[in-house]
Amino acid sequence: MNTKKQKKDDSQTSKEKDVNVDNAIEKKVVAEPAVDVEIAEGSDIQFEILLSGLAPKLSTKSSGKIGFELLLDIGNNCQYIRLISNDSGGLFSKKMVKLDDLYEILEGMEEGISFKSSMFQHLITGSANNVSFLSAALRCNDLALILQSEKNQYLHIVNPLLAQRKSLLTKLKPLAESAKK
C-alpha cells in the first residue's frame, strides 16, 4: 500500500516557555511540534487548496521566492500552511503547519515586540532555513500575519490587524479542482 507522510494531529498541546525578548524574560505560549502520521493513499482525509502564493525571501541578498499553500482539511475544517517550492533550489520542509498553532503563538505575543523566526521552530522541523521560509510566507501580502520589524529585516512583529487577517483567511473558499489526498 502506498503511503505519504502528512502532518496531521488534533491532539497538539501548548506549553509556556520563558523567552528572552529585548532583554526581558516573558512567558510565551509555544505550541509543541505536531506528530507525523502516515496517511494511506486512498484514505478519506482530503485537503483542498485555499490559497497558493509566492513569498520573497527575508534576505535582501536573495532574489528567490518561497512557494506556499494554505490548505483546508475537509474532515475537521482545520487550515494548514505548507511550503511547496524554493526557486533557488535549496532544501525545505513540505510538512504542514496547523494555522491554529501559529495563531496561538502570535496571539500570545505582546503587540509591537520584535521576535525572531526561531519562535516557530517548534512547529516546523528540518533545516534551520525552514523557520525563515515559513516566516517569509507569513509575512507576504497574501497572508500578512506578521510584518517586518523596523529594527532589523530578519525580525518580525505581529500584524496589529491579526484578528482581521485571521478572519479573512478563515473565510477563504477552496480553489477550483483543488482536492488533494
Side-chain angles (χ1 to χ4, degrees), residues 32-97:
E32 293 180 356
V35 177
D36 289 330
V37 179
E38 292 284 337
I39 299 176
E41 285 187 20
S43 72
D44 292 334
I45 298 173
Q46 284 195 334
F47 296 92
E48 291 187 320
I49 300 171
L50 301 174
L51 178 69
S52 187
L54 291 172
K57 291 184 179 177
L58 300 180
S59 174
T60 56
K61 296 176 186 175
S62 176
S63 61
K65 294 197 183 256
I66 298 296
F68 67 91
E69 289 179 331
L70 190 63
L71 302 165
L72 175 68
D73 180 339
I74 299 168
N76 65 14
N77 210 33
C78 286
Q79 291 183 337
Y80 295 82
I81 186 171
R82 77 169 166 192
L83 305 176
I84 58 169
S85 66
N86 177 356
D87 67 6
S88 302
L91 297 176
F92 62 94
S93 173
K94 290 185 178 183
K95 292 183 179 180
M96 292 187 288
V97 176

Side-chain angles (χ1 to χ4, degrees), residues 110-123:
E110 188 175 330
E111 189 173 325
I113 299 295
S114 299
F115 63 94
K116 295 180 180 180
S117 298
S118 60
M119 186 63 74
F120 305 122
Q121 70 188 6
H122 300 301
L123 300 177

Side-chain angles (χ1 to χ4, degrees), residues 1-5 38-41:
M1 173 192 309
N2 291 332
T3 61
K4 72 179 176 184
K5 262 200 173 309
E38 292 284 337
I39 299 176
E41 285 187 20

